[in-house]
PDB file of all heavy atoms in Angstrom:
ATOM      1  N   LEU A 947      30.005-102.559 -59.155  1.00  0.00           N
ATOM      2  CA  LEU A 947      30.134-101.318 -59.944  1.00  0.00           C
ATOM      3  C   LEU A 947      29.386-101.512 -61.337  1.00  0.00           C
ATOM      4  O   LEU A 947      29.744-102.497 -62.079  1.00  0.00           O
ATOM      5  CB  LEU A 947      31.602-100.927 -60.137  1.00  0.00           C
ATOM      6  CG  LEU A 947      32.354-100.777 -58.815  1.00  0.00           C
ATOM      7  CD1 LEU A 947      33.832-100.664 -59.052  1.00  0.00           C
ATOM      8  CD2 LEU A 947      31.851 -99.573 -58.124  1.00  0.00           C
ATOM      9  N   GLY A 948      28.451-100.624 -61.598  1.00  0.00           N
ATOM     10  CA  GLY A 948      27.908-100.659 -62.956  1.00  0.00           C
ATOM     11  C   GLY A 948      26.437-100.816 -63.007  1.00  0.00           C
ATOM     12  O   GLY A 948      25.861-100.956 -64.077  1.00  0.00           O
ATOM     13  N   SER A 949      25.759-100.820 -61.893  1.00  0.00           N
ATOM     14  CA  SER A 949      24.284-100.975 -61.934  1.00  0.00           C
ATOM     15  C   SER A 949      23.556-100.128 -60.878  1.00  0.00           C
ATOM     16  O   SER A 949      23.944-100.149 -59.699  1.00  0.00           O
ATOM     17  CB  SER A 949      23.842-102.445 -61.813  1.00  0.00           C
ATOM     18  OG  SER A 949      22.463-102.604 -61.630  1.00  0.00           O
ATOM     19  N   ALA A 950      22.382 -99.575 -61.247  1.00  0.00           N
ATOM     20  CA  ALA A 950      21.593 -98.854 -60.275  1.00  0.00           C
ATOM     21  C   ALA A 950      20.527 -99.678 -59.691  1.00  0.00           C
ATOM     22  O   ALA A 950      19.727 -99.252 -58.897  1.00  0.00           O
ATOM     23  CB  ALA A 950      20.972 -97.557 -60.976  1.00  0.00           C
ATOM     24  N   SER A 951      20.492-100.936 -60.097  1.00  0.00           N
ATOM     25  CA  SER A 951      19.307-101.811 -59.726  1.00  0.00           C
ATOM     26  C   SER A 951      19.264-102.024 -58.242  1.00  0.00           C
ATOM     27  O   SER A 951      20.266-102.403 -57.582  1.00  0.00           O
ATOM     28  CB  SER A 951      19.467-103.111 -60.431  1.00  0.00           C
ATOM     29  OG  SER A 951      18.549-104.042 -59.802  1.00  0.00           O
ATOM     30  N   PRO A 952      18.134-101.744 -57.601  1.00  0.00           N
ATOM     31  CA  PRO A 952      17.928-102.034 -56.153  1.00  0.00           C
ATOM     32  C   PRO A 952      18.080-103.496 -55.827  1.00  0.00           C
ATOM     33  O   PRO A 952      18.269-103.832 -54.664  1.00  0.00           O
ATOM     34  CB  PRO A 952      16.505-101.490 -55.848  1.00  0.00           C
ATOM     35  CG  PRO A 952      15.865-101.395 -57.211  1.00  0.00           C
ATOM     36  CD  PRO A 952      16.892-101.188 -58.247  1.00  0.00           C
ATOM     37  N   LEU A 953      17.968-104.364 -56.833  1.00  0.00           N
ATOM     38  CA  LEU A 953      18.249-105.737 -56.619  1.00  0.00           C
ATOM     39  C   LEU A 953      19.655-106.001 -56.067  1.00  0.00           C
ATOM     40  O   LEU A 953      19.865-106.829 -55.172  1.00  0.00           O
ATOM     41  CB  LEU A 953      18.112-106.471 -57.984  1.00  0.00           C
ATOM     42  CG  LEU A 953      18.196-108.029 -57.981  1.00  0.00           C
ATOM     43  CD1 LEU A 953      17.107-108.607 -57.163  1.00  0.00           C
ATOM     44  CD2 LEU A 953      18.133-108.533 -59.405  1.00  0.00           C
ATOM     45  N   LEU A 954      20.609-105.161 -56.523  1.00  0.00           N
ATOM     46  CA  LEU A 954      21.964-105.263 -56.057  1.00  0.00           C
ATOM     47  C   LEU A 954      22.109-104.698 -54.637  1.00  0.00           C
ATOM     48  O   LEU A 954      22.879-105.188 -53.806  1.00  0.00           O
ATOM     49  CB  LEU A 954      22.932-104.594 -56.986  1.00  0.00           C
ATOM     50  CG  LEU A 954      23.207-105.473 -58.219  1.00  0.00           C
ATOM     51  CD1 LEU A 954      23.978-104.699 -59.316  1.00  0.00           C
ATOM     52  CD2 LEU A 954      24.053-106.712 -57.811  1.00  0.00           C
ATOM     53  N   ASP A 955      21.370-103.654 -54.323  1.00  0.00           N
ATOM     54  CA  ASP A 955      21.337-103.177 -52.950  1.00  0.00           C
ATOM     55  C   ASP A 955      20.926-104.269 -51.983  1.00  0.00           C
ATOM     56  O   ASP A 955      21.528-104.485 -50.995  1.00  0.00           O
ATOM     57  CB  ASP A 955      20.335-101.938 -52.779  1.00  0.00           C
ATOM     58  CG  ASP A 955      20.655-100.778 -53.655  1.00  0.00           C
ATOM     59  OD1 ASP A 955      20.954-101.041 -54.877  1.00  0.00           O
ATOM     60  OD2 ASP A 955      20.581 -99.639 -53.217  1.00  0.00           O
ATOM     61  N   ALA A 956      19.889-104.987 -52.448  1.00  0.00           N
ATOM     62  CA  ALA A 956      19.359-106.070 -51.626  1.00  0.00           C
ATOM     63  C   ALA A 956      20.383-107.266 -51.626  1.00  0.00           C
ATOM     64  O   ALA A 956      20.640-107.787 -50.503  1.00  0.00           O
ATOM     65  CB  ALA A 956      18.056-106.612 -52.147  1.00  0.00           C
ATOM     66  N   GLU A 957      20.992-107.499 -52.712  1.00  0.00           N
ATOM     67  CA  GLU A 957      21.936-108.609 -52.809  1.00  0.00           C
ATOM     68  C   GLU A 957      23.158-108.331 -51.900  1.00  0.00           C
ATOM     69  O   GLU A 957      23.636-109.280 -51.176  1.00  0.00           O
ATOM     70  CB  GLU A 957      22.430-108.818 -54.220  1.00  0.00           C
ATOM     71  CG  GLU A 957      23.521-109.984 -54.281  1.00  0.00           C
ATOM     72  CD  GLU A 957      23.774-110.454 -55.715  1.00  0.00           C
ATOM     73  OE1 GLU A 957      22.915-110.889 -56.365  1.00  0.00           O
ATOM     74  OE2 GLU A 957      24.976-110.384 -56.116  1.00  0.00           O
ATOM     75  N   ILE A 958      23.591-107.172 -51.812  1.00  0.00           N
ATOM     76  CA  ILE A 958      24.754-106.817 -50.933  1.00  0.00           C
ATOM     77  C   ILE A 958      24.384-107.126 -49.458  1.00  0.00           C
ATOM     78  O   ILE A 958      25.218-107.632 -48.706  1.00  0.00           O
ATOM     79  CB  ILE A 958      25.093-105.328 -51.131  1.00  0.00           C
ATOM     80  CG1 ILE A 958      25.958-105.131 -52.428  1.00  0.00           C
ATOM     81  CG2 ILE A 958      25.879-104.741 -49.954  1.00  0.00           C
ATOM     82  CD1 ILE A 958      27.267-105.746 -52.409  1.00  0.00           C
ATOM     83  N   ILE A 959      23.153-106.766 -49.128  1.00  0.00           N
ATOM     84  CA  ILE A 959      22.718-107.002 -47.692  1.00  0.00           C
ATOM     85  C   ILE A 959      22.564-108.507 -47.543  1.00  0.00           C
ATOM     86  O   ILE A 959      23.062-109.048 -46.433  1.00  0.00           O
ATOM     87  CB  ILE A 959      21.392-106.255 -47.445  1.00  0.00           C
ATOM     88  CG1 ILE A 959      21.662-104.751 -47.575  1.00  0.00           C
ATOM     89  CG2 ILE A 959      20.919-106.653 -46.067  1.00  0.00           C
ATOM     90  CD1 ILE A 959      20.331-103.982 -47.586  1.00  0.00           C
ATOM     91  N   ILE A 960      22.012-109.161 -48.472  1.00  0.00           N
ATOM     92  CA  ILE A 960      21.825-110.614 -48.367  1.00  0.00           C
ATOM     93  C   ILE A 960      23.127-111.356 -48.265  1.00  0.00           C
ATOM     94  O   ILE A 960      23.331-112.313 -47.492  1.00  0.00           O
ATOM     95  CB  ILE A 960      21.034-111.168 -49.565  1.00  0.00           C
ATOM     96  CG1 ILE A 960      19.612-110.671 -49.559  1.00  0.00           C
ATOM     97  CG2 ILE A 960      21.057-112.745 -49.703  1.00  0.00           C
ATOM     98  CD1 ILE A 960      18.840-110.800 -50.841  1.00  0.00           C
ATOM     99  N   LEU A 961      24.085-110.857 -49.099  1.00  0.00           N
ATOM    100  CA  LEU A 961      25.412-111.394 -49.086  1.00  0.00           C
ATOM    101  C   LEU A 961      26.116-111.298 -47.704  1.00  0.00           C
ATOM    102  O   LEU A 961      26.587-112.266 -47.136  1.00  0.00           O
ATOM    103  CB  LEU A 961      26.257-110.690 -50.161  1.00  0.00           C
ATOM    104  CG  LEU A 961      27.611-111.175 -50.592  1.00  0.00           C
ATOM    105  CD1 LEU A 961      27.648-112.633 -50.852  1.00  0.00           C
ATOM    106  CD2 LEU A 961      28.033-110.367 -51.794  1.00  0.00           C
ATOM    107  N   ALA A 962      26.012-110.111 -47.202  1.00  0.00           N
ATOM    108  CA  ALA A 962      26.684-109.858 -45.872  1.00  0.00           C
ATOM    109  C   ALA A 962      26.021-110.713 -44.788  1.00  0.00           C
ATOM    110  O   ALA A 962      26.718-111.323 -43.922  1.00  0.00           O
ATOM    111  CB  ALA A 962      26.567-108.396 -45.517  1.00  0.00           C
ATOM    112  N   TYR A 963      24.717-110.770 -44.860  1.00  0.00           N
ATOM    113  CA  TYR A 963      23.967-111.483 -43.848  1.00  0.00           C
ATOM    114  C   TYR A 963      24.249-112.919 -43.926  1.00  0.00           C
ATOM    115  O   TYR A 963      24.470-113.636 -42.970  1.00  0.00           O
ATOM    116  CB  TYR A 963      22.461-111.150 -43.951  1.00  0.00           C
ATOM    117  CG  TYR A 963      21.546-111.872 -42.989  1.00  0.00           C
ATOM    118  CD1 TYR A 963      21.360-111.275 -41.730  1.00  0.00           C
ATOM    119  CD2 TYR A 963      20.941-113.055 -43.241  1.00  0.00           C
ATOM    120  CE1 TYR A 963      20.603-111.898 -40.805  1.00  0.00           C
ATOM    121  CE2 TYR A 963      20.101-113.718 -42.310  1.00  0.00           C
ATOM    122  CZ  TYR A 963      19.963-113.119 -41.109  1.00  0.00           C
ATOM    123  OH  TYR A 963      19.165-113.703 -40.144  1.00  0.00           O
ATOM    124  N   THR A 964      24.303-113.435 -45.171  1.00  0.00           N
ATOM    125  CA  THR A 964      24.526-114.915 -45.377  1.00  0.00           C
ATOM    126  C   THR A 964      25.938-115.276 -44.869  1.00  0.00           C
ATOM    127  O   THR A 964      26.090-116.338 -44.206  1.00  0.00           O
ATOM    128  CB  THR A 964      24.499-115.193 -46.879  1.00  0.00           C
ATOM    129  OG1 THR A 964      23.253-114.818 -47.420  1.00  0.00           O
ATOM    130  CG2 THR A 964      24.734-116.726 -47.179  1.00  0.00           C
ATOM    131  N   ILE A 965      26.901-114.424 -45.098  1.00  0.00           N
ATOM    132  CA  ILE A 965      28.252-114.722 -44.607  1.00  0.00           C
ATOM    133  C   ILE A 965      28.234-114.767 -43.061  1.00  0.00           C
ATOM    134  O   ILE A 965      28.712-115.704 -42.453  1.00  0.00           O
ATOM    135  CB  ILE A 965      29.262-113.670 -45.109  1.00  0.00           C
ATOM    136  CG1 ILE A 965      29.504-113.860 -46.629  1.00  0.00           C
ATOM    137  CG2 ILE A 965      30.650-113.858 -44.385  1.00  0.00           C
ATOM    138  CD1 ILE A 965      30.356-112.757 -47.270  1.00  0.00           C
ATOM    139  N   LEU A 966      27.675-113.767 -42.426  1.00  0.00           N
ATOM    140  CA  LEU A 966      27.754-113.755 -40.933  1.00  0.00           C
ATOM    141  C   LEU A 966      26.932-114.897 -40.357  1.00  0.00           C
ATOM    142  O   LEU A 966      27.410-115.551 -39.333  1.00  0.00           O
ATOM    143  CB  LEU A 966      27.147-112.415 -40.469  1.00  0.00           C
ATOM    144  CG  LEU A 966      27.874-111.175 -40.837  1.00  0.00           C
ATOM    145  CD1 LEU A 966      27.230-109.965 -40.244  1.00  0.00           C
ATOM    146  CD2 LEU A 966      29.360-111.193 -40.506  1.00  0.00           C
ATOM    147  N   LYS A 967      25.818-115.252 -41.026  1.00  0.00           N
ATOM    148  CA  LYS A 967      25.067-116.395 -40.504  1.00  0.00           C
ATOM    149  C   LYS A 967      25.842-117.709 -40.690  1.00  0.00           C
ATOM    150  O   LYS A 967      25.878-118.588 -39.864  1.00  0.00           O
ATOM    151  CB  LYS A 967      23.708-116.555 -41.254  1.00  0.00           C
ATOM    152  CG  LYS A 967      22.652-115.654 -40.657  1.00  0.00           C
ATOM    153  CD  LYS A 967      22.221-116.260 -39.315  1.00  0.00           C
ATOM    154  CE  LYS A 967      21.365-115.299 -38.528  1.00  0.00           C
ATOM    155  NZ  LYS A 967      21.031-115.836 -37.182  1.00  0.00           N
ATOM    156  N   SER A 968      26.468-117.820 -41.907  1.00  0.00           N
ATOM    157  CA  SER A 968      27.301-119.019 -42.195  1.00  0.00           C
ATOM    158  C   SER A 968      28.503-119.250 -41.205  1.00  0.00           C
ATOM    159  O   SER A 968      28.883-120.312 -40.924  1.00  0.00           O
ATOM    160  CB  SER A 968      27.857-119.019 -43.610  1.00  0.00           C
ATOM    161  OG  SER A 968      26.776-118.898 -44.538  1.00  0.00           O
ATOM    162  N   LEU A 969      28.906-118.132 -40.752  1.00  0.00           N
ATOM    163  CA  LEU A 969      30.107-118.179 -39.764  1.00  0.00           C
ATOM    164  C   LEU A 969      29.536-118.659 -38.411  1.00  0.00           C
ATOM    165  O   LEU A 969      30.406-119.071 -37.572  1.00  0.00           O
ATOM    166  CB  LEU A 969      30.700-116.770 -39.610  1.00  0.00           C
ATOM    167  CG  LEU A 969      31.432-116.266 -40.720  1.00  0.00           C
ATOM    168  CD1 LEU A 969      31.953-114.791 -40.639  1.00  0.00           C
ATOM    169  CD2 LEU A 969      32.784-117.129 -40.966  1.00  0.00           C
ATOM    170  N   GLY A 970      28.258-118.633 -38.230  1.00  0.00           N
ATOM    171  CA  GLY A 970      27.623-119.170 -36.925  1.00  0.00           C
ATOM    172  C   GLY A 970      27.140-118.094 -36.081  1.00  0.00           C
ATOM    173  O   GLY A 970      26.731-118.490 -34.845  1.00  0.00           O
ATOM    174  N   LEU A 971      27.141-116.838 -36.444  1.00  0.00           N
ATOM    175  CA  LEU A 971      26.630-115.817 -35.604  1.00  0.00           C
ATOM    176  C   LEU A 971      25.117-115.878 -35.511  1.00  0.00           C
ATOM    177  O   LEU A 971      24.450-116.149 -36.424  1.00  0.00           O
ATOM    178  CB  LEU A 971      27.037-114.388 -36.131  1.00  0.00           C
ATOM    179  CG  LEU A 971      28.503-114.127 -36.023  1.00  0.00           C
ATOM    180  CD1 LEU A 971      28.860-112.850 -36.865  1.00  0.00           C
ATOM    181  CD2 LEU A 971      28.970-113.817 -34.582  1.00  0.00           C
ATOM    182  N   LYS A 972      24.645-115.635 -34.281  1.00  0.00           N
ATOM    183  CA  LYS A 972      23.200-115.780 -33.960  1.00  0.00           C
ATOM    184  C   LYS A 972      22.633-114.376 -33.631  1.00  0.00           C
ATOM    185  O   LYS A 972      21.643-113.998 -34.101  1.00  0.00           O
ATOM    186  CB  LYS A 972      22.962-116.744 -32.906  1.00  0.00           C
ATOM    187  CG  LYS A 972      23.241-118.191 -33.282  1.00  0.00           C
ATOM    188  CD  LYS A 972      22.951-119.129 -32.187  1.00  0.00           C
ATOM    189  CE  LYS A 972      23.414-120.518 -32.519  1.00  0.00           C
ATOM    190  NZ  LYS A 972      24.981-120.589 -32.545  1.00  0.00           N
ATOM    191  N   ASP A 973      23.317-113.705 -32.748  1.00  0.00           N
ATOM    192  CA  ASP A 973      22.820-112.469 -32.214  1.00  0.00           C
ATOM    193  C   ASP A 973      23.133-111.244 -33.054  1.00  0.00           C
ATOM    194  O   ASP A 973      23.951-110.427 -32.703  1.00  0.00           O
ATOM    195  CB  ASP A 973      23.381-112.218 -30.758  1.00  0.00           C
ATOM    196  CG  ASP A 973      22.735-110.970 -30.097  1.00  0.00           C
ATOM    197  OD1 ASP A 973      21.812-110.476 -30.613  1.00  0.00           O
ATOM    198  OD2 ASP A 973      23.399-110.550 -29.120  1.00  0.00           O
ATOM    199  N   ILE A 974      22.589-111.244 -34.291  1.00  0.00           N
ATOM    200  CA  ILE A 974      22.881-110.158 -35.198  1.00  0.00           C
ATOM    201  C   ILE A 974      21.607-109.505 -35.680  1.00  0.00           C
ATOM    202  O   ILE A 974      20.510-110.155 -35.768  1.00  0.00           O
ATOM    203  CB  ILE A 974      23.723-110.515 -36.334  1.00  0.00           C
ATOM    204  CG1 ILE A 974      23.115-111.584 -37.208  1.00  0.00           C
ATOM    205  CG2 ILE A 974      25.142-110.853 -35.937  1.00  0.00           C
ATOM    206  CD1 ILE A 974      23.893-112.003 -38.400  1.00  0.00           C
ATOM    207  N   THR A 975      21.652-108.155 -35.922  1.00  0.00           N
ATOM    208  CA  THR A 975      20.409-107.423 -36.362  1.00  0.00           C
ATOM    209  C   THR A 975      20.788-106.594 -37.624  1.00  0.00           C
ATOM    210  O   THR A 975      21.862-105.928 -37.674  1.00  0.00           O
ATOM    211  CB  THR A 975      20.044-106.432 -35.281  1.00  0.00           C
ATOM    212  OG1 THR A 975      19.886-107.199 -34.080  1.00  0.00           O
ATOM    213  CG2 THR A 975      18.657-105.748 -35.702  1.00  0.00           C
TER     214      THR A 975
END
Side-chain angles (χ1 to χ4, degrees):
Chain A
L947 302 168
S949 169
S951 168
L953 187 60
L954 283 166
D955 300 44
E957 177 168 300
I958 283 291
I959 297 169
I960 291 164
L961 187 48
Y963 183 81
T964 303
I965 290 171
L966 296 184
K967 275 289 167 184
S968 301
L969 288 169
L971 288 169
K972 294 183 186 69
D973 181 16
I974 57 175
T975 307

